[in-house]
């Protein structure tokens, strides 16, 4: 979130006006804002692009012609823009071309206009047996419900198959633990958010798989929806509406406060809407209260 700096008090009403031409500390007017502009990563990136494009244009113009030089420079800038756009992510840990989480994140951005809100890389309590790593990749709240989506990159050379909707295999490997992890994380999110809002909030667990071919659209295995990663957006859009706008906002705000970011350093960039970030303590406190209530029962 951008923070606006307070203006110089010399320009306020009731303050004496300085007649010097230079700004504070003798700097010319606008120098401070220009320095701040140069500190922005995107501005520095475009300056590097411009410098590289000019260098390529000069070399190609000398070796061939001016027209070819300009063409090479333009193509180089376009290629670099495309390369960086593929790495763009609100979570620094996902800013690499092979990150499955980043690919799902990109799909989910287009759902915001349809009333969906997304929280990325949210922490949930770990289980006692170490099944879960304590992170939901994407928590989606929208008209069709609440979903905990985990993004997976698997070896594309091995086939994916299921057995009686109870077992999922990737080649010879049984993915039971991966499904149990996704289900556990969704259950924890449902309990914590439900305690916060005061009513039951079902959270559907799902796994988006990138790499191997998935021979079905959506299949529920061990209560977890499994589908190809490029179907994540369609998976959410095709479901019937079950939540009102009021319910969506209540659940979204509760989830923001109760489920802290897994990576606190990136908290300011994780969410699909600006809000105050919650500290890492509420999730543990919510989990303890849930466990205590279950013990009383």
């Amino acid at each position: 979130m951008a923070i606006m700096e307070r203006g110089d008090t010399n320009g306020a009403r009731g303050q004496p006006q300085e007649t010097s031409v230079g700004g504070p500390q003798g700097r010319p007017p606008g120098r401070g804002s220009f320095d701040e502009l140069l500190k922005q990563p995107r501005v520095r990136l475009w300056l590097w692009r411009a410098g590289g494009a000019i260098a390529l244009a000069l070399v190609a113009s000398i070796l061939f012609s001016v027209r070819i030089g300009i063409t090479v420079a333009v193509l180089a800038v376009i290629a670099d823009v495309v390369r960086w756009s593929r790495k763009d992510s609100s979570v620094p840990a996902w800013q690499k071309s092979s990150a499955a989480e980043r690919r799902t994140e990109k799909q989910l951005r287009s759902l915001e206009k349809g009333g969906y809100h997304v929280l990325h890389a949210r922490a949930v309590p770990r289980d006692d047996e170490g099944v879960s790593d304590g992170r939901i990749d994407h928590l989606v709240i929208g008209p069709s419900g609440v979903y905990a989506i985990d993004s997976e990159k698997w070896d594309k050379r091995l086939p994916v198959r299921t057995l009686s909707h109870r077992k999922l295999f990737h080649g010879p490997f049984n993915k039971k633990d991966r499904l149990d992890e996704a289900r556990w994380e969704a259950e924890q999110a449902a309990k914590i958010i439900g305690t916060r809002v005061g009513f039951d909030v079902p959270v559907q667990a799902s796994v988006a798989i990138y790499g191997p071919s998935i021979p079905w659209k959506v299949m529920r295995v061990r209560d977890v929806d499994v589908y190809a990663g490029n179907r994540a957006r369609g998976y959410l859009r095709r479901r019937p509406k079950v939540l009102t706008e009021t319910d969506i906002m209540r659940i979204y705000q509760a989830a923001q406060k109760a489920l802290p970011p897994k990576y606190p350093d990136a908290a300011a960039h994780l969410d699909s809407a600006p809000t105050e970030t919650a500290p890492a303590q509420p999730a543990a406190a919510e989990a303890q209260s849930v466990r205590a209530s279950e013990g009383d029962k």
Side-chain angles (χ1 to χ4, degrees), residues 16-177:
Q17 303 293 323
E18 293 186 4
T19 57
S20 61
V21 176
Q25 300 178 356
R27 290 182 301 178
R31 177 62 182 273
S33 59
F34 181 73
D35 291 341
E36 292 296 326
L37 186 65
L38 291 178
K39 293 179 181 179
Q40 297 182 14
R42 289 188 178 276
V43 174
R44 294 201 304 268
L45 176 61
W46 276 103
L47 289 176
W48 277 103
R49 283 175 180 158
I54 292 173
L56 285 174
L58 290 175
V59 172
S61 298
I62 294 172
L63 295 177
F64 303 101
S65 66
V66 174
R67 178 177 296 180
I68 294 178
I70 295 175
T71 302
V72 169
V74 171
L75 291 177
V77 171
I78 293 174
D80 192 62
V81 170
V82 172
R83 182 175 66 90
W84 277 96
S85 67
R86 291 179 177 178
K87 294 183 178 181
D88 185 33
S89 173
S90 60
V91 183
W94 298 350
Q95 290 177 353
K96 53 185 180 179
S97 59
S98 61
E101 296 90 345
R102 181 195 55 77
R103 297 174 65 179
T104 302
E105 177 189 4
K106 186 176 181 180
Q107 290 187 67
L108 297 178
R109 288 176 189 166
S110 63
L111 295 177
E112 295 174 9
K113 295 180 180 180
Y116 286 85
H117 298 271
V118 186
L119 298 172
H120 299 289
R122 289 285 155 162
V124 294
R126 298 188 179 208
D127 63 310
D128 297 332
E129 299 178 358
V131 172
S132 171
D133 63 356
R135 186 191 77 193
I136 294 177
D137 291 341
H138 321 276
L139 185 69
V140 184
I141 304 104
S144 62
V146 184
Y147 305 87
I149 302 177
D150 278 358
S151 299
E152 292 281 314
K153 178 67 184 302
W154 293 357
D155 190 339
K156 64 180 180 180
R157 296 171 296 179
L158 300 178
V160 176
R161 57 189 176 88
T162 183
L163 181 62
S164 302
H165 295 267
R166 297 299 301 169
K167 294 183 179 181
L168 179 68
F169 292 92
H170 178 218
F173 305 105
N174 190 336
K175 291 296 183 177
K176 174 182 179 297
D177 291 344

Side-chain angles (χ1 to χ4, degrees), residues 229-290:
N230 58 6
R231 294 183 180 272
R233 181 171 49 196
Y235 163 73
L236 298 170
R237 279 180 170 174
R238 293 184 177 91
R239 294 178 170 265
K241 295 182 179 180
V242 296
L243 294 178
T244 65
E245 293 184 6
T246 302
D247 291 336
I248 293 171
M249 290 309 302
R250 286 186 62 187
I251 295 171
Y252 175 66
Q253 292 170 0
Q256 278 187 313
K257 296 177 181 178
L259 303 177
K262 183 69 173 179
Y263 310 106
D265 293 341
H269 307 287
L270 291 177
D271 305 338
S272 63
T275 186
E276 180 181 357
T277 55
Q281 299 299 327
E286 295 283 353
Q288 290 177 359
S289 64
V290 169

